[in-house]
Structures are given as C-alpha cells and as structure tokens.
PDB file of all heavy atoms in Angstrom:
ATOM      1  N   ASN A 516      13.016   8.715  -8.904  1.00  0.00           N
ATOM      2  CA  ASN A 516      12.509   8.349 -10.168  1.00  0.00           C
ATOM      3  C   ASN A 516      11.076   8.492 -10.374  1.00  0.00           C
ATOM      4  O   ASN A 516      10.410   7.619  -9.973  1.00  0.00           O
ATOM      5  CB  ASN A 516      13.036   6.909 -10.525  1.00  0.00           C
ATOM      6  CG  ASN A 516      12.805   6.483 -11.958  1.00  0.00           C
ATOM      7  OD1 ASN A 516      12.195   7.324 -12.714  1.00  0.00           O
ATOM      8  ND2 ASN A 516      12.977   5.251 -12.321  1.00  0.00           N
ATOM      9  N   PRO A 517      10.547   9.522 -10.990  1.00  0.00           N
ATOM     10  CA  PRO A 517       9.102   9.683 -10.967  1.00  0.00           C
ATOM     11  C   PRO A 517       8.392   8.762 -11.780  1.00  0.00           C
ATOM     12  O   PRO A 517       7.200   8.323 -11.451  1.00  0.00           O
ATOM     13  CB  PRO A 517       8.890  11.118 -11.744  1.00  0.00           C
ATOM     14  CG  PRO A 517      10.217  11.799 -11.413  1.00  0.00           C
ATOM     15  CD  PRO A 517      11.274  10.765 -11.419  1.00  0.00           C
ATOM     16  N   LEU A 518       8.990   8.082 -12.712  1.00  0.00           N
ATOM     17  CA  LEU A 518       8.351   7.008 -13.502  1.00  0.00           C
ATOM     18  C   LEU A 518       8.134   5.760 -12.809  1.00  0.00           C
ATOM     19  O   LEU A 518       7.428   4.843 -13.287  1.00  0.00           O
ATOM     20  CB  LEU A 518       9.286   6.737 -14.766  1.00  0.00           C
ATOM     21  CG  LEU A 518       9.398   7.889 -15.772  1.00  0.00           C
ATOM     22  CD1 LEU A 518      10.166   7.488 -17.063  1.00  0.00           C
ATOM     23  CD2 LEU A 518       7.971   8.385 -16.253  1.00  0.00           C
ATOM     24  N   THR A 519       8.710   5.580 -11.578  1.00  0.00           N
ATOM     25  CA  THR A 519       8.446   4.463 -10.776  1.00  0.00           C
ATOM     26  C   THR A 519       7.019   4.266 -10.414  1.00  0.00           C
ATOM     27  O   THR A 519       6.606   3.227 -10.113  1.00  0.00           O
ATOM     28  CB  THR A 519       9.336   4.590  -9.411  1.00  0.00           C
ATOM     29  OG1 THR A 519      10.692   4.695  -9.855  1.00  0.00           O
ATOM     30  CG2 THR A 519       9.206   3.298  -8.698  1.00  0.00           C
ATOM     31  N   LEU A 520       6.321   5.435 -10.498  1.00  0.00           N
ATOM     32  CA  LEU A 520       4.935   5.369 -10.175  1.00  0.00           C
ATOM     33  C   LEU A 520       4.124   4.415 -10.990  1.00  0.00           C
ATOM     34  O   LEU A 520       3.178   3.868 -10.443  1.00  0.00           O
ATOM     35  CB  LEU A 520       4.299   6.919 -10.347  1.00  0.00           C
ATOM     36  CG  LEU A 520       2.821   7.060 -10.079  1.00  0.00           C
ATOM     37  CD1 LEU A 520       2.424   6.696  -8.634  1.00  0.00           C
ATOM     38  CD2 LEU A 520       2.395   8.385 -10.569  1.00  0.00           C
ATOM     39  N   PHE A 521       4.526   4.233 -12.237  1.00  0.00           N
ATOM     40  CA  PHE A 521       3.812   3.375 -13.189  1.00  0.00           C
ATOM     41  C   PHE A 521       4.267   1.920 -13.207  1.00  0.00           C
ATOM     42  O   PHE A 521       3.785   1.128 -14.052  1.00  0.00           O
ATOM     43  CB  PHE A 521       3.970   4.022 -14.551  1.00  0.00           C
ATOM     44  CG  PHE A 521       3.403   5.417 -14.585  1.00  0.00           C
ATOM     45  CD1 PHE A 521       4.364   6.446 -14.667  1.00  0.00           C
ATOM     46  CD2 PHE A 521       2.057   5.585 -14.573  1.00  0.00           C
ATOM     47  CE1 PHE A 521       3.965   7.754 -14.745  1.00  0.00           C
ATOM     48  CE2 PHE A 521       1.688   7.027 -14.568  1.00  0.00           C
ATOM     49  CZ  PHE A 521       2.578   8.066 -14.680  1.00  0.00           C
ATOM     50  N   THR A 522       5.134   1.552 -12.231  1.00  0.00           N
ATOM     51  CA  THR A 522       5.667   0.226 -12.237  1.00  0.00           C
ATOM     52  C   THR A 522       4.885  -0.789 -11.318  1.00  0.00           C
ATOM     53  O   THR A 522       4.248  -0.224 -10.332  1.00  0.00           O
ATOM     54  CB  THR A 522       7.116   0.160 -11.684  1.00  0.00           C
ATOM     55  OG1 THR A 522       7.247   0.680 -10.451  1.00  0.00           O
ATOM     56  CG2 THR A 522       7.990   1.011 -12.666  1.00  0.00           C
ATOM     57  N   ALA A 523       4.802  -1.947 -11.581  1.00  0.00           N
ATOM     58  CA  ALA A 523       4.097  -2.911 -10.750  1.00  0.00           C
ATOM     59  C   ALA A 523       4.647  -3.011  -9.348  1.00  0.00           C
ATOM     60  O   ALA A 523       3.976  -2.997  -8.377  1.00  0.00           O
ATOM     61  CB  ALA A 523       4.072  -4.282 -11.383  1.00  0.00           C
ATOM     62  N   SER A 524       6.044  -2.924  -9.240  1.00  0.00           N
ATOM     63  CA  SER A 524       6.682  -3.066  -7.973  1.00  0.00           C
ATOM     64  C   SER A 524       6.128  -1.797  -7.025  1.00  0.00           C
ATOM     65  O   SER A 524       5.833  -2.055  -5.811  1.00  0.00           O
ATOM     66  CB  SER A 524       8.086  -2.985  -8.111  1.00  0.00           C
ATOM     67  OG  SER A 524       8.811  -2.962  -6.801  1.00  0.00           O
ATOM     68  N   PHE A 525       6.227  -0.544  -7.567  1.00  0.00           N
ATOM     69  CA  PHE A 525       5.788   0.513  -6.698  1.00  0.00           C
ATOM     70  C   PHE A 525       4.287   0.310  -6.287  1.00  0.00           C
ATOM     71  O   PHE A 525       3.921   0.536  -5.030  1.00  0.00           O
ATOM     72  CB  PHE A 525       6.012   1.802  -7.525  1.00  0.00           C
ATOM     73  CG  PHE A 525       5.598   3.025  -6.722  1.00  0.00           C
ATOM     74  CD1 PHE A 525       6.516   3.731  -5.892  1.00  0.00           C
ATOM     75  CD2 PHE A 525       4.265   3.524  -6.837  1.00  0.00           C
ATOM     76  CE1 PHE A 525       6.122   4.793  -5.331  1.00  0.00           C
ATOM     77  CE2 PHE A 525       3.999   4.666  -6.095  1.00  0.00           C
ATOM     78  CZ  PHE A 525       4.784   5.408  -5.348  1.00  0.00           C
ATOM     79  N   GLN A 526       3.481   0.129  -7.160  1.00  0.00           N
ATOM     80  CA  GLN A 526       1.986   0.089  -7.048  1.00  0.00           C
ATOM     81  C   GLN A 526       1.588  -1.078  -6.060  1.00  0.00           C
ATOM     82  O   GLN A 526       0.749  -0.917  -5.165  1.00  0.00           O
ATOM     83  CB  GLN A 526       1.201  -0.023  -8.288  1.00  0.00           C
ATOM     84  CG  GLN A 526       1.448   1.099  -9.215  1.00  0.00           C
ATOM     85  CD  GLN A 526       0.817   0.859 -10.598  1.00  0.00           C
ATOM     86  OE1 GLN A 526       0.403  -0.268 -10.993  1.00  0.00           O
ATOM     87  NE2 GLN A 526       0.990   1.754 -11.546  1.00  0.00           N
ATOM     88  N   LEU A 527       2.256  -2.267  -6.236  1.00  0.00           N
ATOM     89  CA  LEU A 527       1.934  -3.392  -5.349  1.00  0.00           C
ATOM     90  C   LEU A 527       2.453  -3.077  -3.913  1.00  0.00           C
ATOM     91  O   LEU A 527       1.819  -3.457  -3.004  1.00  0.00           O
ATOM     92  CB  LEU A 527       2.445  -4.692  -5.924  1.00  0.00           C
ATOM     93  CG  LEU A 527       1.808  -5.195  -7.126  1.00  0.00           C
ATOM     94  CD1 LEU A 527       2.574  -6.291  -7.824  1.00  0.00           C
ATOM     95  CD2 LEU A 527       0.290  -5.606  -6.924  1.00  0.00           C
ATOM     96  N   SER A 528       3.683  -2.660  -3.818  1.00  0.00           N
ATOM     97  CA  SER A 528       4.346  -2.504  -2.562  1.00  0.00           C
ATOM     98  C   SER A 528       3.525  -1.380  -1.705  1.00  0.00           C
ATOM     99  O   SER A 528       3.254  -1.639  -0.516  1.00  0.00           O
ATOM    100  CB  SER A 528       5.859  -1.964  -2.736  1.00  0.00           C
ATOM    101  OG  SER A 528       6.405  -1.831  -1.532  1.00  0.00           O
ATOM    102  N   PHE A 529       3.379  -0.296  -2.277  1.00  0.00           N
ATOM    103  CA  PHE A 529       2.708   0.780  -1.528  1.00  0.00           C
ATOM    104  C   PHE A 529       1.254   0.597  -1.315  1.00  0.00           C
ATOM    105  O   PHE A 529       0.687   0.923  -0.233  1.00  0.00           O
ATOM    106  CB  PHE A 529       2.930   2.204  -2.230  1.00  0.00           C
ATOM    107  CG  PHE A 529       4.264   2.661  -2.004  1.00  0.00           C
ATOM    108  CD1 PHE A 529       5.295   2.489  -2.863  1.00  0.00           C
ATOM    109  CD2 PHE A 529       4.506   3.448  -0.878  1.00  0.00           C
ATOM    110  CE1 PHE A 529       6.628   2.928  -2.681  1.00  0.00           C
ATOM    111  CE2 PHE A 529       5.840   3.970  -0.593  1.00  0.00           C
ATOM    112  CZ  PHE A 529       6.845   3.641  -1.552  1.00  0.00           C
ATOM    113  N   SER A 530       0.507  -0.031  -2.191  1.00  0.00           N
ATOM    114  CA  SER A 530      -0.894  -0.329  -1.981  1.00  0.00           C
ATOM    115  C   SER A 530      -1.195  -1.369  -0.934  1.00  0.00           C
ATOM    116  O   SER A 530      -2.040  -1.298  -0.049  1.00  0.00           O
ATOM    117  CB  SER A 530      -1.544  -0.784  -3.336  1.00  0.00           C
ATOM    118  OG  SER A 530      -1.062  -2.006  -3.754  1.00  0.00           O
ATOM    119  N   ALA A 531      -0.192  -2.331  -0.737  1.00  0.00           N
ATOM    120  CA  ALA A 531      -0.373  -3.412   0.322  1.00  0.00           C
ATOM    121  C   ALA A 531      -0.071  -2.760   1.686  1.00  0.00           C
ATOM    122  O   ALA A 531      -0.796  -2.997   2.583  1.00  0.00           O
ATOM    123  CB  ALA A 531       0.699  -4.486  -0.044  1.00  0.00           C
ATOM    124  N   VAL A 532       0.959  -1.971   1.812  1.00  0.00           N
ATOM    125  CA  VAL A 532       1.275  -1.283   3.036  1.00  0.00           C
ATOM    126  C   VAL A 532       0.242  -0.301   3.465  1.00  0.00           C
ATOM    127  O   VAL A 532      -0.231  -0.196   4.561  1.00  0.00           O
ATOM    128  CB  VAL A 532       2.673  -0.613   2.985  1.00  0.00           C
ATOM    129  CG1 VAL A 532       2.983  -0.042   4.332  1.00  0.00           C
ATOM    130  CG2 VAL A 532       3.697  -1.755   2.682  1.00  0.00           C
ATOM    131  N   ALA A 533      -0.337   0.516   2.396  1.00  0.00           N
ATOM    132  CA  ALA A 533      -1.419   1.424   2.647  1.00  0.00           C
ATOM    133  C   ALA A 533      -2.637   0.800   3.209  1.00  0.00           C
ATOM    134  O   ALA A 533      -3.297   1.238   4.101  1.00  0.00           O
ATOM    135  CB  ALA A 533      -1.622   2.259   1.452  1.00  0.00           C
ATOM    136  N   ALA A 534      -3.040  -0.344   2.534  1.00  0.00           N
ATOM    137  CA  ALA A 534      -4.208  -1.060   3.032  1.00  0.00           C
ATOM    138  C   ALA A 534      -4.055  -1.561   4.460  1.00  0.00           C
ATOM    139  O   ALA A 534      -4.930  -1.473   5.240  1.00  0.00           O
ATOM    140  CB  ALA A 534      -4.496  -2.237   2.048  1.00  0.00           C
ATOM    141  N   LEU A 535      -2.807  -2.172   4.779  1.00  0.00           N
ATOM    142  CA  LEU A 535      -2.557  -2.622   6.049  1.00  0.00           C
ATOM    143  C   LEU A 535      -2.711  -1.533   7.146  1.00  0.00           C
ATOM    144  O   LEU A 535      -3.170  -1.656   8.205  1.00  0.00           O
ATOM    145  CB  LEU A 535      -1.305  -3.345   6.108  1.00  0.00           C
ATOM    146  CG  LEU A 535      -1.173  -4.575   5.370  1.00  0.00           C
ATOM    147  CD1 LEU A 535       0.321  -5.146   5.351  1.00  0.00           C
ATOM    148  CD2 LEU A 535      -2.020  -5.711   6.029  1.00  0.00           C
ATOM    149  N   THR A 536      -2.155  -0.281   6.664  1.00  0.00           N
ATOM    150  CA  THR A 536      -2.010   0.873   7.624  1.00  0.00           C
ATOM    151  C   THR A 536      -3.428   1.355   7.870  1.00  0.00           C
ATOM    152  O   THR A 536      -3.739   1.673   9.080  1.00  0.00           O
ATOM    153  CB  THR A 536      -1.219   1.953   7.004  1.00  0.00           C
ATOM    154  OG1 THR A 536       0.167   1.374   6.749  1.00  0.00           O
ATOM    155  CG2 THR A 536      -1.060   3.101   8.087  1.00  0.00           C
ATOM    156  N   LEU A 537      -4.368   1.381   6.919  1.00  0.00           N
ATOM    157  CA  LEU A 537      -5.663   1.895   7.102  1.00  0.00           C
ATOM    158  C   LEU A 537      -6.638   0.946   7.746  1.00  0.00           C
ATOM    159  O   LEU A 537      -7.350   1.261   8.733  1.00  0.00           O
ATOM    160  CB  LEU A 537      -6.112   2.392   5.835  1.00  0.00           C
ATOM    161  CG  LEU A 537      -5.599   3.555   5.051  1.00  0.00           C
ATOM    162  CD1 LEU A 537      -6.204   3.734   3.731  1.00  0.00           C
ATOM    163  CD2 LEU A 537      -5.931   4.846   5.936  1.00  0.00           C
ATOM    164  N   PHE A 538      -6.624  -0.288   7.273  1.00  0.00           N
ATOM    165  CA  PHE A 538      -7.738  -1.196   7.706  1.00  0.00           C
ATOM    166  C   PHE A 538      -7.335  -2.151   8.937  1.00  0.00           C
ATOM    167  O   PHE A 538      -8.183  -2.528   9.560  1.00  0.00           O
ATOM    168  CB  PHE A 538      -8.197  -2.134   6.512  1.00  0.00           C
ATOM    169  CG  PHE A 538      -8.796  -1.228   5.404  1.00  0.00           C
ATOM    170  CD1 PHE A 538      -8.114  -1.065   4.257  1.00  0.00           C
ATOM    171  CD2 PHE A 538     -10.109  -0.799   5.595  1.00  0.00           C
ATOM    172  CE1 PHE A 538      -8.780  -0.295   3.263  1.00  0.00           C
ATOM    173  CE2 PHE A 538     -10.739  -0.190   4.563  1.00  0.00           C
ATOM    174  CZ  PHE A 538     -10.023   0.206   3.460  1.00  0.00           C
ATOM    175  N   LEU A 539      -6.123  -2.482   9.033  1.00  0.00           N
ATOM    176  CA  LEU A 539      -5.765  -3.448  10.057  1.00  0.00           C
ATOM    177  C   LEU A 539      -6.129  -2.983  11.453  1.00  0.00           C
ATOM    178  O   LEU A 539      -6.718  -3.843  12.273  1.00  0.00           O
ATOM    179  CB  LEU A 539      -4.266  -3.822   9.931  1.00  0.00           C
ATOM    180  CG  LEU A 539      -3.861  -5.248  10.370  1.00  0.00           C
ATOM    181  CD1 LEU A 539      -4.670  -6.292   9.620  1.00  0.00           C
ATOM    182  CD2 LEU A 539      -2.350  -5.453  10.165  1.00  0.00           C
ATOM    183  N   PRO A 540      -5.817  -1.798  11.930  1.00  0.00           N
ATOM    184  CA  PRO A 540      -6.209  -1.445  13.219  1.00  0.00           C
ATOM    185  C   PRO A 540      -7.803  -1.437  13.520  1.00  0.00           C
ATOM    186  O   PRO A 540      -8.136  -1.690  14.646  1.00  0.00           O
ATOM    187  CB  PRO A 540      -5.750   0.029  13.331  1.00  0.00           C
ATOM    188  CG  PRO A 540      -4.656   0.179  12.309  1.00  0.00           C
ATOM    189  CD  PRO A 540      -5.144  -0.700  11.143  1.00  0.00           C
ATOM    190  N   THR A 541      -8.513  -1.324  12.507  1.00  0.00           N
ATOM    191  CA  THR A 541     -10.105  -1.353  12.646  1.00  0.00           C
ATOM    192  C   THR A 541     -10.614  -2.749  12.664  1.00  0.00           C
ATOM    193  O   THR A 541     -11.721  -3.026  13.077  1.00  0.00           O
ATOM    194  CB  THR A 541     -10.715  -0.512  11.539  1.00  0.00           C
ATOM    195  OG1 THR A 541     -10.418  -1.130  10.236  1.00  0.00           O
ATOM    196  CG2 THR A 541     -10.136   0.899  11.572  1.00  0.00           C
ATOM    197  N   ILE A 542      -9.937  -3.701  11.985  1.00  0.00           N
ATOM    198  CA  ILE A 542     -10.620  -5.092  11.892  1.00  0.00           C
ATOM    199  C   ILE A 542      -9.859  -6.078  12.817  1.00  0.00           C
ATOM    200  O   ILE A 542     -10.448  -7.131  12.989  1.00  0.00           O
ATOM    201  CB  ILE A 542     -10.528  -5.705  10.371  1.00  0.00           C
ATOM    202  CG1 ILE A 542      -9.107  -5.862   9.993  1.00  0.00           C
ATOM    203  CG2 ILE A 542     -11.190  -4.611   9.522  1.00  0.00           C
ATOM    204  CD1 ILE A 542      -9.052  -6.494   8.527  1.00  0.00           C
ATOM    205  N   LEU A 543      -8.678  -5.730  13.341  1.00  0.00           N
ATOM    206  CA  LEU A 543      -8.168  -6.753  14.152  1.00  0.00           C
ATOM    207  C   LEU A 543      -8.948  -6.824  15.511  1.00  0.00           C
ATOM    208  O   LEU A 543      -9.184  -5.868  16.212  1.00  0.00           O
ATOM    209  CB  LEU A 543      -6.579  -6.385  14.592  1.00  0.00           C
ATOM    210  CG  LEU A 543      -5.559  -6.738  13.636  1.00  0.00           C
ATOM    211  CD1 LEU A 543      -4.283  -6.171  14.086  1.00  0.00           C
ATOM    212  CD2 LEU A 543      -5.533  -8.168  13.348  1.00  0.00           C
ATOM    213  N   PRO A 544      -9.372  -8.072  15.821  1.00  0.00           N
ATOM    214  CA  PRO A 544     -10.233  -8.229  17.110  1.00  0.00           C
ATOM    215  C   PRO A 544      -9.295  -8.031  18.373  1.00  0.00           C
ATOM    216  O   PRO A 544      -8.097  -8.443  18.291  1.00  0.00           O
ATOM    217  CB  PRO A 544     -10.689  -9.625  16.891  1.00  0.00           C
ATOM    218  CG  PRO A 544      -9.733 -10.418  16.063  1.00  0.00           C
ATOM    219  CD  PRO A 544      -9.052  -9.331  15.111  1.00  0.00           C
ATOM    220  N   THR A 545      -9.882  -7.516  19.363  1.00  0.00           N
ATOM    221  CA  THR A 545      -9.136  -7.460  20.747  1.00  0.00           C
ATOM    222  C   THR A 545      -9.334  -8.803  21.384  1.00  0.00           C
ATOM    223  O   THR A 545     -10.324  -9.522  21.277  1.00  0.00           O
ATOM    224  CB  THR A 545      -9.730  -6.410  21.492  1.00  0.00           C
ATOM    225  OG1 THR A 545     -11.177  -6.638  21.659  1.00  0.00           O
ATOM    226  CG2 THR A 545      -9.622  -5.029  20.910  1.00  0.00           C
TER     227      THR A 545
END
C-alpha cells in the first residue's frame, strides 16, 4: 500500500527504528 507512506503509523515506526539503527551503536558506552 504506497499510501501508507503518508500515515503517522508508518512514519513514526520507521523513523524510530532508523534512528536506533544509526545512532545507538555510536552512543552506547562500552
């Protein structure tokens, strides 16, 4: 469903996981 791109559910879900995937490995302290 291409129109899912404009829904809050899609945007919130994927932006949260993308942020965790990108930033978490670099800021988690050893």
Side-chain angles (χ1 to χ4, degrees):
N516 184 5
L518 295 179
T519 306
L520 176 65
F521 304 103
T522 63
S524 178
F525 180 92
Q526 294 170 1
L527 292 172
S528 176
F529 281 91
S530 62
V532 179
L535 292 174
T536 304
L537 287 175
F538 292 105
L539 210 55
T541 62
I542 66 173
L543 276 180
T545 55

